[in-house]
Amino acid sequence: AGLASPRPGCAAMSSGGTLSILRSDSYAELSQYRDQHFRGTRYDQERLLRKSCTLYVGNLSFYTTEEQIHELFGKSGDIKKVIMGLDKVKKTACGFCFVEYYARGDAENAMRYINGTRLDDRIIRTDWDAGFKEGRQYGRGRSGGQVRDEYRQDYDAGRGGYGKTVQCQ
Amino acid sequence: MSRRRHSDDSDAGQPHKRRRTSEPSEIEERLESLICRVGEKSNSSLESNLEGLAGVLEADLPNYKSKILRILCTVARLLPEKLTVYTTLVGLLNARNYNFGGEFVEAMIRQLKECLKVNMYNEAVHLVRFLSDLVNCHVIAAPSMVAMFENFVSVTQEEDVPQVRCDWYIFAFLSSLPWVGKELYEKKDAEMDRLLSQTESYLKRRQKIHVPMLQVWTADKPHPQEEYLDCLWSQIQKLKKDRWQERHILRPYLAFDSVLCEALQHNLPPFTPPPHTEDSVYPMPRVIFRMFDYTDDPEGPVMPGSHSVERFVIEENLHCIIKSHWKERKTCAAQLLSYPGNNKIPLNYHIVEVIFAELFQLPSPPHIEVMYTTLLIELCKLQPGSLPQVLAQATEMLYMRLDTMNTTCVDRFINWFSHHLSNFQFRWSWEDWSDCLTQDLEKPKPKFVREVLEKCMRLSYHQRIIDIVPASFSVLSPANPVCVYKYGDESNRSLPGYTVALCLTIAIKNKASNDEIFSILKDVPNPNQDDDDGEGFTFNPLKIEVFVQTLLHLAAKSFSHSFSALAKFHEVFKTLAESDEGKLHVLRVVYEVWKNHPQMIAVLVDKMIRTQIVDCAAVANWIFSSELAHDFTRFYIWEILHSTIRKMNKHVLKIHKELEETKARLARQHKR
């Protein structure tokens, strides 16, 4: 039930009155990242991000399976679909995925409680996605995987070892 | 105590100069921010911050009185963990401006009435407590507070009202006494004795049949799970016996006693509890969760006893902090760990106990389960040298008491523990639990370990689990989640339907259409030939078997493969599973193929309900069938059943909402 609306000149509770510190929901906010390949205006993109039920999930191990992702992300609500990110050339997992929920509230809870925790011993990162479109399941790096694995200098056993440029040296 | 001039405080710079160039909404935001932040970590003392803020607000009263009243009423309602900070602030304002104090009290009473009218009983308790602490700040006269409590307690004399109504008024009275019991008793001891005696007789005659339903453990040892009012009553009785001496609550107003006792007090207007109506919904009764006592932390500060009022206050405040900051896990963890009295109480133990109290709350936790897992991880990050040990100790204690734990709570324990371990490389001293290996595998302890290992596997993979447990635990390890295809082996070629299965496999691999599938399946004999109802689409269990086994086997690679298969051959499924027996048989075959992979069964059942291949009734019949009796106590079965019921509920709510919206649209059209 709602609260009484304020009458003029009276210090009654304002409707739904709360405090901005209690409204804070930083984990569920949009990040700075915007997909540069998005077709449409920045305004359209942000509108879609704000009502999206789809999350991008990054820093996965190449060996992490859809089943593991389903189990973990299922903890914040019913999952509609998981789409594994694939190397464009090899068509094998390349360390990211999309998770789509039926309800935005469930996606928000994933941003609040699953983002920044571990899957396959790796801290995974989630971010709002404007919605899956065919083709977006492929890595955009020159070698077929993700861009970050092209230029990576460190050795990461879960992501094919050294970065591609390092491997080619 | 030195009192710095408020102009020294950088927050309260030159208010009048700044204001003339700022928007009113900015002023309100700034005021709200100033008020909300007082009491947070600061270079100055709390007392000087309060005094500074009181000065700023007093100066702003001529222009912003109603905004300040609104903000103060809101913090009273929504920040109960900082109760005494804000009552002190109001006390200081009242001492400087008597009229303002009176208006604030009136605004609070109006807000209290509003809350009760709209069933916001939890927030109303905070308001009552705030009012009672205002007695300590010389804002409200003690006798008028006692009079309000007299009206509260007299609710127990009402006839034909729900017990939970009387419960709330008694709770509001008793739970304010840790703050104001001493003052009220000093001023009105005879009246207070009468109130306490009336309370006692109410508590003796009220029904408590809800208690066994809400207890996390059925056993009373080592800690009885007490009904919440019984526990509070014991705590207040002990407080009274201790002559109302309460030493835990931080009372900033004590430092301002010389200023506050000069202030004029206000009388609360006579408060009549709003009558019970059909729309009144009171809070549900609770059972107090306890898992620790002073023996659990022999090295550290002593944990207040279960019937000490300190324990009540600490638990209330920690629950309030979680309620305020549940969306912001880092803030929540930091706020919990900065609860005052850190070195006098074993704070880590209190925090862990309060979190498990919420996680195990029956019927449901106040917040989504995964929040508590992540909150505990944040707390471990902030206190890496102490909190993980407390958590390990808690886990051990919960394990020891599995025999009497409510099954729903065991389920939550399993989910929490497996998810927690997956964030810490599954490190655990499994050998400590070797005692469970000698027990019957259906007993709670071995069953718990089996279910934990199964859930751990879901978050990793089979070999990982084999690697992390000692060899002796292999009997409890989960099965390798492989698909069982009955037509896979040459040795099965004598099975009826074997050749059709081969044919089907080739056809599907060659991207056959639904029609081609139907024509292949026509060759499958029907073992129930006599039951042919002449319509052509009779229930043919062998057809279902051959089709479903073959398809699921071909699509076994991943969930996505299986979902695609269900979608591509949806028409075939619908036809074969048209009858109720058909639906049931589809589920049986799914089980036969995937009995080693309960997670796969669960997602397939979910997909089949959503695409209407099977319905909820079929799932229920399948779960309660005799074929599944041996798995009846495995948690995946209940996971599937609960998920099915939840889907059904959501669906009913959704179409109900659509119906109401359509009705409203129709009504609007008729008006034109």
Side-chain angles (χ1 to χ4, degrees), chain A residues 65-67 70 80-84 86 91-93, chain B residues 508-509 511 547-548 550-570 573 594 600 603-604 607:
Chain A
T65 61
E66 187 188 343
E67 288 73 7
H70 207 279
K80 188 170 175 184
K81 196 161 189 173
V82 172
I83 298 165
M84 299 299 288
L86 301 175
K91 304 292 199 286
T92 54
Chain B
I508 293 173
K509 278 184 177 167
K511 306 199 195 297
F547 173 68
V548 177
T550 305
L551 186 67
L552 290 186
H553 168 244
L554 283 170
K557 186 158 187 232
S558 76
F559 288 176
S560 284
H561 286 82
S562 297
F563 296 158
S564 295
L566 288 180
K568 184 155 197 284
F569 297 101
H570 186 249
F573 270 105
W594 282 116
M600 175 66 98
V603 303
L604 285 175
K607 204 52 105 185

Side-chain angles (χ1 to χ4, degrees), chain A residues 20 24 26 112-113 115 118, chain B residues 32 326 328-329 374 423:
Chain A
S20 51
S24 179
S26 62
R112 291 182 190 122
Y113 307 121
N115 187 14
R118 287 183 190 268
Chain B
E32 189 181 298
W326 63 273
E328 295 280 1
R329 68 205 212 207
T374 308
N423 274 270

